[in-house]
Amino acid sequence: MLNQCNFYRTHQSYLVSIDKIEYIESDNYMKSYNVKLHHCNHKITLSRHKFTALKNLIERHF
């Protein structure tokens, strides 16, 4: 239901708005990725298995 509203589940514990993503960076220590959101000091975990799907979604959205 939220896919139509530009939300994406980056990890089991996180649901983010595609419009609020500032950048995605690799986390070499955890072998995964982190998502930085606009106006937020915390980084959100992105499962390495979901990176490609999120990247494709962002490319289609913007």
Side-chain angles (χ1 to χ4, degrees), residues 8-40:
Y8 187 78
R9 182 170 302 281
T10 60
H11 192 272
Q12 182 179 355
S13 303
Y14 299 104
L15 185 67
V16 299
S17 171
I18 301 296
D19 298 331
K20 301 295 181 185
I21 294 176
E22 187 173 342
Y23 61 84
I24 301 171
E25 65 183 7
S26 65
D27 183 347
N28 293 329
Y29 178 71
M30 296 297 291
K31 296 183 180 169
S32 62
Y33 297 89
N34 293 315
V35 175
K36 172 69 171 79
L37 301 177
H38 293 286
H39 308 293
C40 181

Side-chain angles (χ1 to χ4, degrees), residues 1-2 5 7 23 25 31-32 35-39 42 44 46-47 52 55 57:
M1 184 166 84
L2 290 174
C5 299
F7 282 92
Y23 61 84
E25 65 183 7
K31 296 183 180 169
S32 62
V35 175
K36 172 69 171 79
L37 301 177
H38 293 286
H39 308 293
H42 301 285
I44 296 172
L46 172 64
S47 169
T52 303
K55 181 180 156 192
L57 184 64

